[in-house]
Amino acid sequence: MSYAKQMLDTTPSSFEFDAAALAECIAACFDCAQACSACADACLGEEMVAELRKCIRLDLDCADVCAATGRVLSRQTAYDATITTAVLTACAAACKACGDECASHAQMHDHCRICAEACRRCAQACNALLGQS
Amino acid sequence: MSYAKQMLDTTPSSFEFDAAALAECIAACFDCAQACSACADACLGEEMVAELRKCIRLDLDCADVCAATGRVLSRQTAYDATITTAVLTACAAACKACGDECASHAQMHDHCRICAEACRRCAQACNALLGQS
Amino acid sequence: MSYAKQMLDTTPSSFEFDAAALAECIAACFDCAQACSACADACLGEEMVAELRKCIRLDLDCADVCAATGRVLSRQTAYDATITTAVLTACAAACKACGDECASHAQMHDHCRICAEACRRCAQACNALLGQS
Amino acid sequence: MSYAKQMLDTTPSSFEFDAAALAECIAACFDCAQACSACADACLGEEMVAELRKCIRLDLDCADVCAATGRVLSRQTAYDATITTAVLTACAAACKACGDECASHAQMHDHCRICAEACRRCAQACNALLGQS
């Protein structure tokens, strides 16, 4: 079981979302932040780095937005629906943009293929929570 | 002149926003991230910490969202309007919620009064950019 | 297989560490950042929050240091041994301090018990890499 | 007066460092995190991006380490000397490495010249606090 799920199971605070969907979204945000940071670095190491500028930039943005979203969702004490909805919306948008860009390089660069998977999983998890809120 | 403005003046990439408004928003995001981190810690040090849970939680959220927004705005190569708009919207929401909460303690805690100022300046700067996009 | 391992398997850049140890450390850093963020929030939600100030503060520090370390380790292009060693040392120190504090509350708070596990795993993974560098 | 100084003046917690030196280091960390994020992006936008890989990588590392250090230093409740010293040491190392690299491009790229200034100021501020601890 992920730490995210274990922490939700043991917090004294109640939360608004289904626990499994929330734990999945938290884990997906942290995983996607890692994959995007690594993909930006892998793109930087490619010979054709000049053609990967857009991918690097979206990777860096997506990593930052996923990291912030994963932290906000890890807090359930004194829940604020407005912030949560706005952050999930931004995260879904960043994961969509970055995932689409990475998917367009997926046949040439395996790191982009893997990163596109991480982005899509995270976008889905964010949208699942937005559907509950 | 802030580093944010100097960096915008020397980047080879073009950008979509008025340079002064963009530099102000970047600086406001980093300043607000600092003020909110410090306010969460100051609240934690107060005797009445149990009554400041909501304030601490919003401070932590606002710090994370401002930090991510300041980084996204610091990137102008391969600009993505969708991500930028979603991130600015989330940041304005976080600053509004945190600033309102801090303002409600402003007479009792000077650190909340200062943090509320930082939040309002950042919310205004985000809204100014949203008005241009 | 973790995204961290998959990304290391597909980066064009070479790296200095054993791939399995590096992937474990990256995953441990991101997992520990999540657990510490959640533990700070769970402590904030406890009735006895005033007695958990030190734990909350160490959780927040450890979350930030682990997040930075996980990102630095996710980059292998143009490796810099000095930064990597200094960051791993700081991360091991933060995880030791936070893990010891959380362990001292482990019988009372299950979230502290789980967080202590995450901290110890991360400290071990950092020390394993330091032993290779 | 910076928010960092105002927040230190109003926190209920005592702190171990000279207030002016601590406020300067906090502000320098946040400013350097911004400058490094912007410099990585500006380098990415340069035609000769392939020759700037090392600079981009060090910019990204330095931004992450400075951001974590600025947050740790913004917390003074339940001060932990071991973490603080380790984090300041890592930050000084990252700023030295990034500042040296940026300085070597300073005549060709004004953004690297400005970023080198931000790195040197931050390294000095970290070393000043290390001298007090």
Side-chain angles (χ1 to χ4, degrees):
Chain A
M1 200 194 307
S2 71
Y3 288 119
K5 182 65 170 59
Q6 291 181 67
M7 296 306 288
L8 289 175
D9 287 346
T10 57
T11 182
S13 299
S14 60
F15 39 91
E16 303 296 310
F17 297 107
D18 171 70
L22 180 55
E24 163 60 12
C25 194
I26 293 169
C29 283
F30 279 85
D31 283 354
C32 193
Q34 194 281 319
C36 286
S37 294
C39 189
D41 181 74
C43 288
L44 190 65
E46 295 287 353
E47 276 193 44
M48 61 185 287
V49 56
E51 296 165 57
L52 293 168
R53 286 184 176 99
K54 187 179 177 189
C55 194
I56 293 172
R57 191 255 148 90
L58 290 174
D59 278 333
L60 296 174
D61 279 4
C62 195
D64 288 335
V65 176
C66 286
T69 304
R71 285 173 167 235
V72 169
L73 294 177
S74 296
R75 298 182 192 115
Q76 295 300 326
T77 302
Y79 174 76
D80 183 288
T82 307
I83 293 179
T84 302
T85 300
V87 168
L88 284 169
T89 302
C91 194
C95 289
K96 174 78 168 66
C98 187
D100 286 352
E101 178 63 25
C102 279
S104 74
H105 309 294
Q107 293 208 308
M108 199 175 299
H109 302 300
D110 273 342
H111 50 81
C112 288
R113 179 180 53 74
I114 298 160
C115 190
E117 280 178 30
C119 289
R120 282 176 181 162
R121 175 187 159 211
C122 192
Q124 282 179 350
C126 289
N127 286 323
L129 289 191
L130 285 168
Q132 291 181 19
S133 64
Chain B
M1 199 195 308
S2 70
Y3 288 120
K5 183 63 169 62
Q6 291 181 68
M7 296 307 288
L8 288 175
D9 287 346
T10 57
T11 183
S13 299
S14 61
F15 38 91
E16 303 295 311
F17 298 107
D18 171 71
L22 180 55
E24 163 59 13
C25 193
I26 294 169
C29 283
F30 279 84
D31 282 356
C32 193
Q34 195 281 319
C36 286
S37 294
C39 189
D41 182 74
C43 288
L44 190 66
E46 294 287 354
E47 276 192 45
M48 60 183 290
V49 57
E51 297 165 56
L52 293 168
R53 287 183 176 100
K54 186 179 177 187
C55 194
I56 293 173
R57 190 255 149 90
L58 291 174
D59 277 334
L60 295 175
D61 279 4
C62 195
D64 288 335
V65 177
C66 286
T69 304
R71 284 174 168 233
V72 169
L73 294 176
S74 296
R75 298 181 192 115
Q76 295 299 326
T77 302
Y79 174 77
D80 183 288
T82 308
I83 294 178
T84 303
T85 300
V87 168
L88 284 169
T89 302
C91 194
C95 289
K96 174 78 168 65
C98 187
D100 285 353
E101 179 64 24
C102 278
S104 73
H105 310 293
Q107 292 207 308
M108 200 174 300
H109 303 300
D110 274 341
H111 48 83
C112 288
R113 178 180 53 74
I114 297 161
C115 190
E117 280 178 30
C119 289
R120 283 177 179 161
R121 175 187 159 211
C122 192
Q124 283 179 348
C126 289
N127 286 324
L129 289 192
L130 284 168
Q132 290 181 20
S133 63
Chain C
M1 199 193 311
S2 71
Y3 288 120
K5 183 65 169 60
Q6 292 181 68
M7 296 307 287
L8 288 175
D9 287 345
T10 56
T11 182
S13 299
S14 60
F15 40 90
E16 304 295 311
F17 298 107
D18 171 72
L22 180 55
E24 163 59 13
C25 194
I26 294 169
C29 283
F30 279 84
D31 282 355
C32 194
Q34 195 280 319
C36 287
S37 295
C39 189
D41 182 74
C43 287
L44 190 66
E46 295 286 353
E47 276 192 44
M48 60 185 288
V49 56
E51 297 166 55
L52 293 169
R53 286 184 176 98
K54 187 179 177 187
C55 195
I56 293 173
R57 191 256 150 88
L58 290 175
D59 278 334
L60 295 175
D61 279 4
C62 196
D64 288 335
V65 177
C66 285
T69 304
R71 284 173 167 234
V72 169
L73 294 176
S74 297
R75 296 180 194 117
Q76 295 300 326
T77 302
Y79 174 76
D80 183 289
T82 308
I83 293 178
T84 303
T85 300
V87 168
L88 284 169
T89 302
C91 193
C95 289
K96 174 77 168 67
C98 187
D100 286 353
E101 179 64 24
C102 279
S104 74
H105 309 294
Q107 293 208 308
M108 199 174 300
H109 303 301
D110 274 341
H111 50 82
C112 288
R113 178 179 55 73
I114 297 160
C115 191
E117 280 177 30
C119 289
R120 283 176 180 162
R121 175 187 160 211
C122 192
Q124 282 180 350
C126 289
N127 286 324
L129 289 191
L130 285 168
Q132 290 181 20
S133 64
Chain D
M1 200 194 309
S2 70
Y3 288 120
K5 183 65 170 58
Q6 291 181 69
M7 295 308 287
L8 289 175
D9 288 346
T10 57
T11 182
S13 299
S14 61
F15 40 90
E16 304 295 311
F17 298 107
D18 171 72
L22 180 55
E24 163 58 13
C25 194
I26 294 169
C29 283
F30 279 84
D31 282 355
C32 193
Q34 195 281 318
C36 286
S37 294
C39 189
D41 182 74
C43 287
L44 190 65
E46 294 286 354
E47 276 193 43
M48 60 183 289
V49 57
E51 296 165 56
L52 293 169
R53 286 184 177 99
K54 186 179 177 188
C55 195
I56 293 172
R57 190 256 148 89
L58 290 174
D59 278 334
L60 295 175
D61 279 4
C62 196
D64 287 336
V65 177
C66 286
T69 304
R71 284 173 167 235
V72 169
L73 295 175
S74 296
R75 297 181 193 117
Q76 295 301 326
T77 302
Y79 174 76
D80 183 287
T82 307
I83 293 178
T84 303
T85 300
V87 168
L88 284 169
T89 302
C91 193
C95 289
K96 174 77 167 66
C98 187
D100 286 353
E101 178 65 24
C102 279
S104 74
H105 309 293
Q107 293 207 308
M108 200 175 298
H109 302 300
D110 274 342
H111 50 81
C112 288
R113 179 180 53 74
I114 297 161
C115 190
E117 281 177 29
C119 289
R120 283 178 179 159
R121 174 187 160 212
C122 192
Q124 283 180 348
C126 289
N127 286 323
L129 289 191
L130 285 168
Q132 290 181 19
S133 65

